[in-house]
Amino acid sequence: MIYTEEYLKEVDNNIQFIPLTFDYAFKSIMMKNIDLFKDFLIKTMNLRIRDEDNYILFLDKELVKQNFKEHGKVIDLNVKIGSNLLIDVEVNTSSYEVVMDRNELYLEKLHTLSFEVGEEYQVYKSKYIYQLNLNAYPYEDKHVGERVAMMYDVKNHKVFNSRRKIYIKNLVYYRNKYYNNGKLKSDEIFMAALTSRSFSELYNIMSNIISGDKLDKFIKDVIDMSSEWISIHEWEKEKMDKLVLEKVKEVGLRDGRKEGIKQGIEQGREEGLEQAKLETIKNMLDNKLGYE
């Protein structure tokens, strides 16, 4: 099928577009467009892949517990490219400090778990473990598109360990650059496309890097995903969770000054949860979901 402008406008009017920066949507679409996703990872992290290692595997996303008290940790996407490269891909829509701390923990756990019993150290040294953070919230510095973090010797000014890296990408930066006639590479255009707010916009941006059957399949996958009940349900749940967090932070800080941080956070959580429930119910009714 060839998607015309008129058809996409009709789809925009009849189907709620679920953003690709939403965890469930991102995972669903990337796992259905493996070659496109692999090409994006290779280009955005400047990976040098040997011909025999030019394949991608999706691994279990739940990290092993290290003690009985630890809650299960589920990363967004855990992929393996070739024989010695593990990549944890995280899509972040919130700027909370705890998000970065959590992601660093994921990287550390992947690094620890990659060492297999009885494995020679030289084999272990040949493994690379990277993390890609795709941040969908504006940076304080709007002119920064990418940051790369790794272990660094501040005294000798040398990289201590290049086998572990965290790539931090500012999606809003690439969106702004795209709409201000900036010259973008294909991986940067892909990141701008992730910020799309409608099917029409997504189609127009993605048409710069793919075409024909590949483009049609990609758009069809997004439309189908946005129409699924489970996608709508998970998206509403994520919006509610974010609203609760915002309310907890707002009310907790306000009342914490008067009655102590602990009491303020508890009260904020209760008020935030009630407000979030009302907002979610309203959104579901607005989307014409059944009252039951």
Side-chain angles (χ1 to χ4, degrees):
M1 173 181 183
I2 299 176
Y3 289 96
T4 63
E5 183 178 351
E6 292 75 17
Y7 178 81
L8 289 172
K9 284 183 178 180
E10 183 179 346
V11 174
D12 286 335
N13 291 329
N14 293 306
I15 299 176
Q16 173 67 59
F17 177 76
I18 298 182
L20 295 185
T21 50
F22 162 53
D23 284 351
Y24 182 88
F26 180 82
K27 298 172 194 175
S28 173
I29 298 304
M30 295 309 110
M31 294 181 73
K32 291 178 181 176
N33 295 268
I34 297 176
D35 289 339
L36 178 66
F37 184 50
K38 181 188 69 175
D39 185 59
F40 164 68
L41 292 178
I42 291 173
K43 289 181 178 178
T44 200
M45 292 189 286
N46 297 312
L47 303 177
R48 296 180 180 179
I49 305 297
R50 299 175 300 182
D51 290 340
E52 60 268 30
D53 283 337
N54 192 20
Y55 60 89
I56 184 171
L57 298 174
F58 288 86
L59 306 177
D60 188 0
K61 301 189 294 296
E62 184 164 359
L63 303 181
V64 178
K65 292 184 179 182
Q66 293 178 306
N67 60 69
F68 75 96
K69 291 184 178 180
E70 183 179 12
H71 294 290
K73 306 295 182 184
V74 180
I75 58 184
D76 284 354
L77 275 179
N78 185 19
V79 302
K80 183 177 182 181
I81 295 183
S83 58
N84 65 344
L85 174 58
L86 289 174
I87 304 175
D88 165 27
V89 183
E90 299 290 334
V91 183
N92 307 309
T93 55
S94 300
S95 59
Y96 297 119
E97 184 177 347
V98 69
V99 171
M100 192 62 191
D101 292 339
R102 179 202 66 191
N103 291 349
E104 288 177 357
L105 173 63
Y106 289 170
L107 185 66
E108 290 294 334
K109 292 197 71 172
L110 283 171
H111 182 259
T112 302
L113 294 171
S114 70
F115 190 82
E116 300 175 7
V117 176
E119 188 175 49
E120 293 290 336
Y121 180 65
Q122 290 302 321
V123 175
Y124 173 70
K125 280 185 64 177
S126 68
K127 294 183 178 180
Y128 292 80
I129 302 175
Y130 295 161
Q131 184 179 85
L132 175 62
N133 279 291
L134 301 174
N135 293 339
Y137 56 86
Y139 280 17
E140 292 181 3
D141 187 348
K142 298 180 181 179
H143 303 291
V144 176
E146 176 189 64
R147 292 186 175 95
V148 181
M150 66 180 72
M151 296 182 69
Y152 182 76
D153 188 333
V154 295
K155 289 188 176 180
N156 298 320
H157 305 291
K158 293 182 179 179
V159 174
F160 184 69
N161 185 353
S162 62
R163 296 188 305 277
R164 278 193 295 168
K165 293 181 182 178
I166 300 178
Y167 292 82
I168 305 169
K169 302 283 186 172
N170 178 6
L171 300 185
V172 178
Y173 167 85
Y174 295 107
R175 178 183 179 84
N176 292 338
K177 190 174 180 180
Y178 177 84
Y179 282 109
N180 284 285
N181 300 315
K183 187 176 181 180
L184 275 71
K185 297 179 292 185
S186 61
D187 59 301
E188 296 173 333
I189 294 174
F190 186 83
M191 285 187 282
L194 292 177
T195 68
S196 297
R197 298 163 185 170
S198 67
F199 300 106
S200 299
E201 182 181 25
L202 179 64
Y203 184 91
N204 289 333
I205 298 179
M206 288 299 294
S207 65
N208 291 281
I209 52 179
I210 56 175
S211 59
D213 292 341
K214 284 186 177 181
L215 178 59
D216 286 350
K217 178 185 181 303
F218 185 84
I219 297 301
K220 182 180 184 301
D221 289 340
V222 176
I223 293 174
D224 290 345
M225 178 274 300
S226 295
S227 305
E228 293 173 354
W229 178 86
I230 188 171
S231 299
I232 297 171
H233 170 75
E234 291 295 327
W235 188 41
E236 291 292 344
K237 179 179 179 297
E238 180 171 281
K239 289 195 294 183
M240 184 186 77
D241 291 344
K242 285 183 180 178
L243 186 59
V244 170
L245 286 173
E246 291 288 353
K247 197 68 178 177
V248 166
K249 186 176 180 181
E250 174 190 337
V251 178
L253 287 175
R254 185 188 67 213
D255 294 347
R257 295 189 184 97
K258 299 177 182 178
E259 304 177 29
I261 296 298
K262 183 177 180 179
Q263 183 177 349
I265 290 177
E266 289 175 351
Q267 184 175 342
R269 184 180 294 111
E270 292 174 1
E271 293 183 16
L273 182 58
E274 290 302 314
Q275 179 65 27
K277 286 179 180 177
L278 293 174
E279 287 292 330
T280 301
I281 291 169
K282 181 178 181 299
N283 288 333
M284 293 172 75
L285 292 174
D286 288 344
N287 287 325
K288 298 183 175 14
L289 294 181
Y291 180 80
E292 293 78 6

